[in-house]
Structures are given as C-alpha cells and as structure tokens.
Amino acid sequence: GENVEQHPSTLSVQEGDSAVIKCTYSDSASNYFPWYKQELGKGPQLIIDIRSNVGEKKDQRIAVTLNKTAKHFSLHITETQPEDSAVYFCAAIQAGTALIFGKGTTLSVSS
Amino acid sequence: ETGVTQTPRHLVMGMTNKKSLKCEQHLGHNAMYWYKQSAKKPLELMFVYNFKEQTENNSVPSRFSPECPNSSHLFLHLHTLQPEDSALYLCASSQAGTGGTEAFFGQGTRLTVV
C-alpha cells in the first residue's frame, strides 16, 4: 500500500518569510496529491491539490510542485502571515482508493 | 461548513459503555471514510465505504463497528473501548472512482475513554 513521509514535523518562520514542506510517496500508481490545513478544533480543509499530469500549480501565495520520477511533492507558502499558522498535511491517492496522509507539519508564523 | 456534519462534537465514555458516532454528508458523494487522529498517529485511515459497501478495513479492532445505511450517512459504533482509543475521530466524504478527488472532512468527534 501507499506510504507518505512528510518533513519537517515542525517549522517556525518570521512573518513575510517563505515556508516549504516536503513529502515523498511510495506507490508510483498514485495520481492525486492534495494538501490540507487543519486549524485548532477543526477538521482538515483542502488548500491546494495537484494531479500526476501536472508539475506545478499555484494559487496566490500557495504553490505545489510534483516530481513524479523522484516521487516527491512540496508545498510552498510565500509571504507568510500569522493566520497561516496551523498543521499542514500532505496526502496521496490512487483512483478509487482512500487518501493516505503524512504525519503533518506544525507551522508557526511569528510577527 | 464543509457539508459534512459529525455528532456529537465531544464524547466521554467509560470502558464498558456503548456509544455511536454519527456522520452525515450533504454533498452527493458516493464514498465515506472514518479516520482516527491522535498525537501518536495523525490521520490514520480506519474504514472506507464506496456506494455503501465497505471496501477497506485498515486492521481496526472489532470494538469499532462501522455502519453505512445509505450513501449520506455513516456511523461508528463503539463498545468496550480502551483509554488508548481516546482521539479525534474524523469523517470524510468524496466522489470516488474518478481519478482522485478532494475529500471533505467534518469537524470531528473528540472522544475520551475513561
């Protein structure tokens, strides 16, 4: 089955800096890679996703890159703000199966 | 609101109790999931239902019993739990079988076993 590794487990940045979170996956058949943000007391919410036929996707301050050959993908947050502080999870999925998540990264943005 | 509603939000139960967690989705999805989130193993997949049929049981102890009476409702029946079962239980839904799509999560049920 799929196994997703996520690094780092904690990340502290100053407001305005960039933050990068990296994930690797094991199953080359996986074709969908979402990123979720979880705030305290809430369920995870999708912030951006990428499919295996795309190498990069951007949405305002957030971008995701995918390297299928190396089986890794990364989340990039630019111009970080205090409200970006949360736990971020990467995940991987094959068609018709359930999301398998990484262990999460706790991002702290200090002003 | 994500369109996935879980009740109750908080539950405290003794080890000999029987309780049920409820999940309802209003998104017209055909797949529903139970995840367990604890400090030691974040977002651990427990059960998967596609078109009301259980397609995955991720080696979950029998003291957890899922039920999916229709594609909009999912239950998790709990009995004779252990203190280590204390965690946040998250329900999610998605439109499965179309090449991977977004899963929408509920707010979760915070379970404490005493």
PDB file of all heavy atoms in Angstrom, chain A residues 58-93:
ATOM      1  N   LYS A  58      -0.214  26.815  -8.845  1.00  0.00           N
ATOM      2  CA  LYS A  58      -0.096  27.944  -7.943  1.00  0.00           C
ATOM      3  C   LYS A  58      -1.456  28.568  -7.698  1.00  0.00           C
ATOM      4  O   LYS A  58      -2.287  28.664  -8.608  1.00  0.00           O
ATOM      5  CB  LYS A  58       0.870  28.972  -8.534  1.00  0.00           C
ATOM      6  CG  LYS A  58       1.238  30.089  -7.580  1.00  0.00           C
ATOM      7  CD  LYS A  58       2.307  30.993  -8.184  1.00  0.00           C
ATOM      8  CE  LYS A  58       2.707  32.102  -7.216  1.00  0.00           C
ATOM      9  NZ  LYS A  58       3.741  32.995  -7.766  1.00  0.00           N
ATOM     10  N   ASP A  59      -1.673  29.007  -6.460  1.00  0.00           N
ATOM     11  CA  ASP A  59      -2.901  29.698  -6.105  1.00  0.00           C
ATOM     12  C   ASP A  59      -2.530  30.797  -5.122  1.00  0.00           C
ATOM     13  O   ASP A  59      -2.358  30.565  -3.938  1.00  0.00           O
ATOM     14  CB  ASP A  59      -3.903  28.730  -5.468  1.00  0.00           C
ATOM     15  CG  ASP A  59      -5.231  29.397  -5.129  1.00  0.00           C
ATOM     16  OD1 ASP A  59      -5.402  30.593  -5.456  1.00  0.00           O
ATOM     17  OD2 ASP A  59      -6.100  28.730  -4.543  1.00  0.00           O
ATOM     18  N   GLN A  60      -2.371  31.995  -5.635  1.00  0.00           N
ATOM     19  CA  GLN A  60      -1.984  33.167  -4.850  1.00  0.00           C
ATOM     20  C   GLN A  60      -0.663  32.898  -4.135  1.00  0.00           C
ATOM     21  O   GLN A  60       0.364  32.730  -4.802  1.00  0.00           O
ATOM     22  CB  GLN A  60      -3.116  33.565  -3.902  1.00  0.00           C
ATOM     23  CG  GLN A  60      -4.406  33.922  -4.646  1.00  0.00           C
ATOM     24  CD  GLN A  60      -5.520  34.373  -3.719  1.00  0.00           C
ATOM     25  OE1 GLN A  60      -5.544  34.074  -2.531  1.00  0.00           O
ATOM     26  NE2 GLN A  60      -6.461  35.122  -4.266  1.00  0.00           N
ATOM     27  N   ARG A  61      -0.647  32.843  -2.809  1.00  0.00           N
ATOM     28  CA  ARG A  61       0.618  32.679  -2.073  1.00  0.00           C
ATOM     29  C   ARG A  61       1.032  31.218  -1.910  1.00  0.00           C
ATOM     30  O   ARG A  61       2.070  30.911  -1.321  1.00  0.00           O
ATOM     31  CB  ARG A  61       0.508  33.325  -0.690  1.00  0.00           C
ATOM     32  CG  ARG A  61       0.281  34.821  -0.702  1.00  0.00           C
ATOM     33  CD  ARG A  61       0.332  35.411   0.705  1.00  0.00           C
ATOM     34  NE  ARG A  61      -0.731  34.905   1.568  1.00  0.00           N
ATOM     35  CZ  ARG A  61      -0.554  34.057   2.565  1.00  0.00           C
ATOM     36  NH1 ARG A  61       0.657  33.594   2.853  1.00  0.00           N
ATOM     37  NH2 ARG A  61      -1.576  33.660   3.309  1.00  0.00           N
ATOM     38  N   ILE A  62       0.213  30.322  -2.393  1.00  0.00           N
ATOM     39  CA  ILE A  62       0.465  28.900  -2.190  1.00  0.00           C
ATOM     40  C   ILE A  62       0.786  28.237  -3.523  1.00  0.00           C
ATOM     41  O   ILE A  62       0.122  28.501  -4.527  1.00  0.00           O
ATOM     42  CB  ILE A  62      -0.761  28.228  -1.546  1.00  0.00           C
ATOM     43  CG1 ILE A  62      -0.989  28.798  -0.147  1.00  0.00           C
ATOM     44  CG2 ILE A  62      -0.593  26.719  -1.482  1.00  0.00           C
ATOM     45  CD1 ILE A  62      -2.265  28.308   0.507  1.00  0.00           C
ATOM     46  N   ALA A  63       1.782  27.359  -3.525  1.00  0.00           N
ATOM     47  CA  ALA A  63       2.136  26.608  -4.723  1.00  0.00           C
ATOM     48  C   ALA A  63       2.515  25.187  -4.330  1.00  0.00           C
ATOM     49  O   ALA A  63       2.974  24.941  -3.206  1.00  0.00           O
ATOM     50  CB  ALA A  63       3.294  27.270  -5.462  1.00  0.00           C
ATOM     51  N   VAL A  64       2.288  24.270  -5.241  1.00  0.00           N
ATOM     52  CA  VAL A  64       2.690  22.884  -5.034  1.00  0.00           C
ATOM     53  C   VAL A  64       3.475  22.427  -6.264  1.00  0.00           C
ATOM     54  O   VAL A  64       3.130  22.779  -7.391  1.00  0.00           O
ATOM     55  CB  VAL A  64       1.469  21.978  -4.770  1.00  0.00           C
ATOM     56  CG1 VAL A  64       0.470  22.057  -5.895  1.00  0.00           C
ATOM     57  CG2 VAL A  64       1.896  20.549  -4.518  1.00  0.00           C
ATOM     58  N   THR A  65       4.548  21.694  -6.033  1.00  0.00           N
ATOM     59  CA  THR A  65       5.347  21.117  -7.116  1.00  0.00           C
ATOM     60  C   THR A  65       5.358  19.606  -6.964  1.00  0.00           C
ATOM     61  O   THR A  65       5.306  19.074  -5.849  1.00  0.00           O
ATOM     62  CB  THR A  65       6.784  21.659  -7.087  1.00  0.00           C
ATOM     63  OG1 THR A  65       7.376  21.349  -5.818  1.00  0.00           O
ATOM     64  CG2 THR A  65       6.809  23.164  -7.296  1.00  0.00           C
ATOM     65  N   LEU A  66       5.424  18.925  -8.077  1.00  0.00           N
ATOM     66  CA  LEU A  66       5.416  17.465  -8.081  1.00  0.00           C
ATOM     67  C   LEU A  66       6.532  16.945  -8.976  1.00  0.00           C
ATOM     68  O   LEU A  66       6.669  17.375 -10.128  1.00  0.00           O
ATOM     69  CB  LEU A  66       4.062  16.949  -8.594  1.00  0.00           C
ATOM     70  CG  LEU A  66       3.950  15.438  -8.859  1.00  0.00           C
ATOM     71  CD1 LEU A  66       4.095  14.661  -7.569  1.00  0.00           C
ATOM     72  CD2 LEU A  66       2.639  15.129  -9.560  1.00  0.00           C
ATOM     73  N   ASN A  67       7.313  16.011  -8.442  1.00  0.00           N
ATOM     74  CA  ASN A  67       8.344  15.328  -9.222  1.00  0.00           C
ATOM     75  C   ASN A  67       7.995  13.846  -9.225  1.00  0.00           C
ATOM     76  O   ASN A  67       8.244  13.126  -8.254  1.00  0.00           O
ATOM     77  CB  ASN A  67       9.728  15.561  -8.588  1.00  0.00           C
ATOM     78  CG  ASN A  67      10.853  14.936  -9.397  1.00  0.00           C
ATOM     79  OD1 ASN A  67      10.686  13.875 -10.002  1.00  0.00           O
ATOM     80  ND2 ASN A  67      11.993  15.596  -9.420  1.00  0.00           N
ATOM     81  N   LYS A  68       7.377  13.398 -10.319  1.00  0.00           N
ATOM     82  CA  LYS A  68       6.904  12.012 -10.381  1.00  0.00           C
ATOM     83  C   LYS A  68       8.050  11.013 -10.391  1.00  0.00           C
ATOM     84  O   LYS A  68       7.957   9.920  -9.833  1.00  0.00           O
ATOM     85  CB  LYS A  68       6.049  11.810 -11.635  1.00  0.00           C
ATOM     86  CG  LYS A  68       4.663  12.372 -11.540  1.00  0.00           C
ATOM     87  CD  LYS A  68       3.908  12.185 -12.839  1.00  0.00           C
ATOM     88  CE  LYS A  68       3.829  10.733 -13.255  1.00  0.00           C
ATOM     89  NZ  LYS A  68       3.083  10.565 -14.523  1.00  0.00           N
ATOM     90  N   THR A  69       9.140  11.374 -11.039  1.00  0.00           N
ATOM     91  CA  THR A  69      10.276  10.469 -11.137  1.00  0.00           C
ATOM     92  C   THR A  69      10.847  10.177  -9.754  1.00  0.00           C
ATOM     93  O   THR A  69      11.132   9.021  -9.403  1.00  0.00           O
ATOM     94  CB  THR A  69      11.362  11.065 -12.038  1.00  0.00           C
ATOM     95  OG1 THR A  69      10.793  11.345 -13.314  1.00  0.00           O
ATOM     96  CG2 THR A  69      12.530  10.102 -12.182  1.00  0.00           C
ATOM     97  N   ALA A  70      10.996  11.226  -8.973  1.00  0.00           N
ATOM     98  CA  ALA A  70      11.548  11.088  -7.626  1.00  0.00           C
ATOM     99  C   ALA A  70      10.478  10.745  -6.601  1.00  0.00           C
ATOM    100  O   ALA A  70      10.800  10.463  -5.442  1.00  0.00           O
ATOM    101  CB  ALA A  70      12.271  12.367  -7.230  1.00  0.00           C
ATOM    102  N   LYS A  71       9.220  10.792  -6.980  1.00  0.00           N
ATOM    103  CA  LYS A  71       8.075  10.531  -6.098  1.00  0.00           C
ATOM    104  C   LYS A  71       8.097  11.444  -4.886  1.00  0.00           C
ATOM    105  O   LYS A  71       8.015  10.988  -3.731  1.00  0.00           O
ATOM    106  CB  LYS A  71       8.028   9.043  -5.712  1.00  0.00           C
ATOM    107  CG  LYS A  71       7.602   8.153  -6.873  1.00  0.00           C
ATOM    108  CD  LYS A  71       7.291   6.735  -6.447  1.00  0.00           C
ATOM    109  CE  LYS A  71       8.556   5.961  -6.246  1.00  0.00           C
ATOM    110  NZ  LYS A  71       8.337   4.518  -6.024  1.00  0.00           N
ATOM    111  N   HIS A  72       8.230  12.743  -5.159  1.00  0.00           N
ATOM    112  CA  HIS A  72       8.073  13.687  -4.067  1.00  0.00           C
ATOM    113  C   HIS A  72       7.354  14.936  -4.537  1.00  0.00           C
ATOM    114  O   HIS A  72       7.347  15.277  -5.715  1.00  0.00           O
ATOM    115  CB  HIS A  72       9.407  14.000  -3.364  1.00  0.00           C
ATOM    116  CG  HIS A  72      10.425  14.698  -4.194  1.00  0.00           C
ATOM    117  ND1 HIS A  72      10.311  16.028  -4.588  1.00  0.00           N
ATOM    118  CD2 HIS A  72      11.613  14.278  -4.675  1.00  0.00           C
ATOM    119  CE1 HIS A  72      11.368  16.378  -5.275  1.00  0.00           C
ATOM    120  NE2 HIS A  72      12.166  15.340  -5.351  1.00  0.00           N
ATOM    121  N   PHE A  73       6.691  15.587  -3.589  1.00  0.00           N
ATOM    122  CA  PHE A  73       5.957  16.807  -3.879  1.00  0.00           C
ATOM    123  C   PHE A  73       6.094  17.749  -2.688  1.00  0.00           C
ATOM    124  O   PHE A  73       6.346  17.308  -1.559  1.00  0.00           O
ATOM    125  CB  PHE A  73       4.482  16.526  -4.226  1.00  0.00           C
ATOM    126  CG  PHE A  73       3.705  15.740  -3.196  1.00  0.00           C
ATOM    127  CD1 PHE A  73       2.682  16.335  -2.494  1.00  0.00           C
ATOM    128  CD2 PHE A  73       3.972  14.396  -2.961  1.00  0.00           C
ATOM    129  CE1 PHE A  73       1.932  15.618  -1.568  1.00  0.00           C
ATOM    130  CE2 PHE A  73       3.247  13.673  -2.035  1.00  0.00           C
ATOM    131  CZ  PHE A  73       2.217  14.288  -1.341  1.00  0.00           C
ATOM    132  N   SER A  74       5.982  19.036  -2.974  1.00  0.00           N
ATOM    133  CA  SER A  74       6.264  20.046  -1.953  1.00  0.00           C
ATOM    134  C   SER A  74       5.209  21.138  -1.959  1.00  0.00           C
ATOM    135  O   SER A  74       4.647  21.466  -3.003  1.00  0.00           O
ATOM    136  CB  SER A  74       7.637  20.680  -2.194  1.00  0.00           C
ATOM    137  OG  SER A  74       8.663  19.716  -2.157  1.00  0.00           O
ATOM    138  N   LEU A  75       4.993  21.701  -0.775  1.00  0.00           N
ATOM    139  CA  LEU A  75       4.101  22.852  -0.597  1.00  0.00           C
ATOM    140  C   LEU A  75       4.962  24.072  -0.316  1.00  0.00           C
ATOM    141  O   LEU A  75       5.849  24.025   0.535  1.00  0.00           O
ATOM    142  CB  LEU A  75       3.145  22.617   0.569  1.00  0.00           C
ATOM    143  CG  LEU A  75       2.211  23.772   0.908  1.00  0.00           C
ATOM    144  CD1 LEU A  75       1.142  23.942  -0.176  1.00  0.00           C
ATOM    145  CD2 LEU A  75       1.547  23.545   2.267  1.00  0.00           C
ATOM    146  N   HIS A  76       4.696  25.155  -1.043  1.00  0.00           N
ATOM    147  CA  HIS A  76       5.432  26.396  -0.860  1.00  0.00           C
ATOM    148  C   HIS A  76       4.445  27.486  -0.478  1.00  0.00           C
ATOM    149  O   HIS A  76       3.456  27.712  -1.200  1.00  0.00           O
ATOM    150  CB  HIS A  76       6.146  26.798  -2.158  1.00  0.00           C
ATOM    151  CG  HIS A  76       7.054  25.746  -2.699  1.00  0.00           C
ATOM    152  ND1 HIS A  76       8.428  25.827  -2.624  1.00  0.00           N
ATOM    153  CD2 HIS A  76       6.781  24.566  -3.314  1.00  0.00           C
ATOM    154  CE1 HIS A  76       8.968  24.751  -3.182  1.00  0.00           C
ATOM    155  NE2 HIS A  76       7.997  23.972  -3.604  1.00  0.00           N
ATOM    156  N   ILE A  77       4.690  28.145   0.646  1.00  0.00           N
ATOM    157  CA  ILE A  77       3.873  29.281   1.060  1.00  0.00           C
ATOM    158  C   ILE A  77       4.786  30.506   1.085  1.00  0.00           C
ATOM    159  O   ILE A  77       5.799  30.527   1.794  1.00  0.00           O
ATOM    160  CB  ILE A  77       3.248  29.066   2.455  1.00  0.00           C
ATOM    161  CG1 ILE A  77       2.462  27.754   2.505  1.00  0.00           C
ATOM    162  CG2 ILE A  77       2.338  30.249   2.806  1.00  0.00           C
ATOM    163  CD1 ILE A  77       1.928  27.418   3.886  1.00  0.00           C
ATOM    164  N   THR A  78       4.450  31.515   0.309  1.00  0.00           N
ATOM    165  CA  THR A  78       5.254  32.748   0.287  1.00  0.00           C
ATOM    166  C   THR A  78       4.565  33.831   1.105  1.00  0.00           C
ATOM    167  O   THR A  78       3.351  33.759   1.372  1.00  0.00           O
ATOM    168  CB  THR A  78       5.441  33.251  -1.153  1.00  0.00           C
ATOM    169  OG1 THR A  78       4.154  33.475  -1.726  1.00  0.00           O
ATOM    170  CG2 THR A  78       6.177  32.230  -1.999  1.00  0.00           C
ATOM    171  N   GLU A  79       5.355  34.812   1.519  1.00  0.00           N
ATOM    172  CA  GLU A  79       4.847  35.957   2.295  1.00  0.00           C
ATOM    173  C   GLU A  79       3.938  35.482   3.433  1.00  0.00           C
ATOM    174  O   GLU A  79       2.784  35.906   3.553  1.00  0.00           O
ATOM    175  CB  GLU A  79       4.093  36.918   1.370  1.00  0.00           C
ATOM    176  CG  GLU A  79       4.953  37.467   0.241  1.00  0.00           C
ATOM    177  CD  GLU A  79       4.121  38.243  -0.778  1.00  0.00           C
ATOM    178  OE1 GLU A  79       3.057  38.784  -0.419  1.00  0.00           O
ATOM    179  OE2 GLU A  79       4.543  38.280  -1.945  1.00  0.00           O
ATOM    180  N   THR A  80       4.470  34.613   4.260  1.00  0.00           N
ATOM    181  CA  THR A  80       3.657  34.010   5.319  1.00  0.00           C
ATOM    182  C   THR A  80       3.069  35.052   6.259  1.00  0.00           C
ATOM    183  O   THR A  80       3.668  36.118   6.510  1.00  0.00           O
ATOM    184  CB  THR A  80       4.483  33.016   6.138  1.00  0.00           C
ATOM    185  OG1 THR A  80       5.677  33.662   6.610  1.00  0.00           O
ATOM    186  CG2 THR A  80       4.839  31.798   5.310  1.00  0.00           C
ATOM    187  N   GLN A  81       1.884  34.723   6.769  1.00  0.00           N
ATOM    188  CA  GLN A  81       1.165  35.591   7.692  1.00  0.00           C
ATOM    189  C   GLN A  81       0.807  34.798   8.943  1.00  0.00           C
ATOM    190  O   GLN A  81       0.739  33.557   8.890  1.00  0.00           O
ATOM    191  CB  GLN A  81      -0.102  36.113   7.003  1.00  0.00           C
ATOM    192  CG  GLN A  81       0.198  36.888   5.729  1.00  0.00           C
ATOM    193  CD  GLN A  81      -1.048  37.140   4.894  1.00  0.00           C
ATOM    194  OE1 GLN A  81      -2.163  36.798   5.265  1.00  0.00           O
ATOM    195  NE2 GLN A  81      -0.841  37.755   3.738  1.00  0.00           N
ATOM    196  N   PRO A  82       0.560  35.455  10.067  1.00  0.00           N
ATOM    197  CA  PRO A  82       0.228  34.717  11.296  1.00  0.00           C
ATOM    198  C   PRO A  82      -0.940  33.751  11.126  1.00  0.00           C
ATOM    199  O   PRO A  82      -0.948  32.674  11.725  1.00  0.00           O
ATOM    200  CB  PRO A  82      -0.092  35.838  12.288  1.00  0.00           C
ATOM    201  CG  PRO A  82       0.743  36.984  11.828  1.00  0.00           C
ATOM    202  CD  PRO A  82       0.730  36.897  10.322  1.00  0.00           C
ATOM    203  N   GLU A  83      -1.898  34.102  10.291  1.00  0.00           N
ATOM    204  CA  GLU A  83      -3.053  33.224  10.090  1.00  0.00           C
ATOM    205  C   GLU A  83      -2.711  31.960   9.294  1.00  0.00           C
ATOM    206  O   GLU A  83      -3.540  31.062   9.158  1.00  0.00           O
ATOM    207  CB  GLU A  83      -4.210  33.971   9.425  1.00  0.00           C
ATOM    208  CG  GLU A  83      -3.835  34.716   8.161  1.00  0.00           C
ATOM    209  CD  GLU A  83      -3.495  36.186   8.425  1.00  0.00           C
ATOM    210  OE1 GLU A  83      -2.881  36.499   9.488  1.00  0.00           O
ATOM    211  OE2 GLU A  83      -3.854  37.025   7.571  1.00  0.00           O
ATOM    212  N   ASP A  84      -1.491  31.890   8.788  1.00  0.00           N
ATOM    213  CA  ASP A  84      -1.038  30.648   8.139  1.00  0.00           C
ATOM    214  C   ASP A  84      -0.630  29.604   9.177  1.00  0.00           C
ATOM    215  O   ASP A  84      -0.423  28.434   8.828  1.00  0.00           O
ATOM    216  CB  ASP A  84       0.149  30.916   7.211  1.00  0.00           C
ATOM    217  CG  ASP A  84      -0.215  31.778   6.006  1.00  0.00           C
ATOM    218  OD1 ASP A  84      -1.376  31.704   5.545  1.00  0.00           O
ATOM    219  OD2 ASP A  84       0.654  32.543   5.543  1.00  0.00           O
ATOM    220  N   SER A  85      -0.507  30.011  10.425  1.00  0.00           N
ATOM    221  CA  SER A  85      -0.122  29.072  11.486  1.00  0.00           C
ATOM    222  C   SER A  85      -1.200  27.998  11.644  1.00  0.00           C
ATOM    223  O   SER A  85      -2.376  28.302  11.856  1.00  0.00           O
ATOM    224  CB  SER A  85       0.067  29.821  12.814  1.00  0.00           C
ATOM    225  OG  SER A  85       1.130  30.748  12.725  1.00  0.00           O
ATOM    226  N   ALA A  86      -0.784  26.745  11.493  1.00  0.00           N
ATOM    227  CA  ALA A  86      -1.719  25.608  11.536  1.00  0.00           C
ATOM    228  C   ALA A  86      -0.898  24.334  11.336  1.00  0.00           C
ATOM    229  O   ALA A  86       0.320  24.380  11.215  1.00  0.00           O
ATOM    230  CB  ALA A  86      -2.763  25.723  10.431  1.00  0.00           C
ATOM    231  N   VAL A  87      -1.604  23.215  11.289  1.00  0.00           N
ATOM    232  CA  VAL A  87      -0.955  21.947  10.933  1.00  0.00           C
ATOM    233  C   VAL A  87      -1.299  21.651   9.476  1.00  0.00           C
ATOM    234  O   VAL A  87      -2.455  21.731   9.074  1.00  0.00           O
ATOM    235  CB  VAL A  87      -1.426  20.787  11.838  1.00  0.00           C
ATOM    236  CG1 VAL A  87      -0.707  19.502  11.442  1.00  0.00           C
ATOM    237  CG2 VAL A  87      -1.165  21.113  13.302  1.00  0.00           C
ATOM    238  N   TYR A  88      -0.278  21.316   8.697  1.00  0.00           N
ATOM    239  CA  TYR A  88      -0.459  21.033   7.282  1.00  0.00           C
ATOM    240  C   TYR A  88      -0.173  19.548   7.027  1.00  0.00           C
ATOM    241  O   TYR A  88       0.811  18.998   7.518  1.00  0.00           O
ATOM    242  CB  TYR A  88       0.491  21.900   6.441  1.00  0.00           C
ATOM    243  CG  TYR A  88       0.117  23.356   6.471  1.00  0.00           C
ATOM    244  CD1 TYR A  88       0.489  24.166   7.545  1.00  0.00           C
ATOM    245  CD2 TYR A  88      -0.639  23.924   5.450  1.00  0.00           C
ATOM    246  CE1 TYR A  88       0.126  25.504   7.599  1.00  0.00           C
ATOM    247  CE2 TYR A  88      -1.002  25.261   5.493  1.00  0.00           C
ATOM    248  CZ  TYR A  88      -0.620  26.040   6.567  1.00  0.00           C
ATOM    249  OH  TYR A  88      -1.000  27.361   6.613  1.00  0.00           O
ATOM    250  N   PHE A  89      -1.059  18.929   6.256  1.00  0.00           N
ATOM    251  CA  PHE A  89      -0.917  17.523   5.909  1.00  0.00           C
ATOM    252  C   PHE A  89      -0.847  17.366   4.394  1.00  0.00           C
ATOM    253  O   PHE A  89      -1.653  17.940   3.664  1.00  0.00           O
ATOM    254  CB  PHE A  89      -2.120  16.707   6.403  1.00  0.00           C
ATOM    255  CG  PHE A  89      -2.229  16.604   7.885  1.00  0.00           C
ATOM    256  CD1 PHE A  89      -3.028  17.489   8.599  1.00  0.00           C
ATOM    257  CD2 PHE A  89      -1.560  15.608   8.579  1.00  0.00           C
ATOM    258  CE1 PHE A  89      -3.152  17.397   9.982  1.00  0.00           C
ATOM    259  CE2 PHE A  89      -1.673  15.505   9.959  1.00  0.00           C
ATOM    260  CZ  PHE A  89      -2.474  16.401  10.654  1.00  0.00           C
ATOM    261  N   CYS A  90       0.094  16.553   3.938  1.00  0.00           N
ATOM    262  CA  CYS A  90       0.086  16.133   2.545  1.00  0.00           C
ATOM    263  C   CYS A  90      -0.587  14.765   2.475  1.00  0.00           C
ATOM    264  O   CYS A  90      -0.721  14.064   3.486  1.00  0.00           O
ATOM    265  CB  CYS A  90       1.499  16.061   1.980  1.00  0.00           C
ATOM    266  SG  CYS A  90       2.580  14.835   2.773  1.00  0.00           S
ATOM    267  N   ALA A  91      -1.020  14.383   1.295  1.00  0.00           N
ATOM    268  CA  ALA A  91      -1.669  13.093   1.112  1.00  0.00           C
ATOM    269  C   ALA A  91      -1.457  12.621  -0.318  1.00  0.00           C
ATOM    270  O   ALA A  91      -1.140  13.404  -1.212  1.00  0.00           O
ATOM    271  CB  ALA A  91      -3.162  13.184   1.430  1.00  0.00           C
ATOM    272  N   ALA A  92      -1.646  11.319  -0.502  1.00  0.00           N
ATOM    273  CA  ALA A  92      -1.556  10.732  -1.833  1.00  0.00           C
ATOM    274  C   ALA A  92      -2.699   9.753  -2.013  1.00  0.00           C
ATOM    275  O   ALA A  92      -3.190   9.172  -1.039  1.00  0.00           O
ATOM    276  CB  ALA A  92      -0.210  10.021  -2.010  1.00  0.00           C
ATOM    277  N   ILE A  93      -3.127   9.576  -3.247  1.00  0.00           N
ATOM    278  CA  ILE A  93      -4.252   8.679  -3.508  1.00  0.00           C
ATOM    279  C   ILE A  93      -4.138   8.098  -4.907  1.00  0.00           C
ATOM    280  O   ILE A  93      -3.664   8.747  -5.826  1.00  0.00           O
ATOM    281  CB  ILE A  93      -5.597   9.428  -3.356  1.00  0.00           C
ATOM    282  CG1 ILE A  93      -6.778   8.476  -3.444  1.00  0.00           C
ATOM    283  CG2 ILE A  93      -5.721  10.527  -4.390  1.00  0.00           C
ATOM    284  CD1 ILE A  93      -8.102   9.153  -3.186  1.00  0.00           C
TER     285      ILE A  93
END
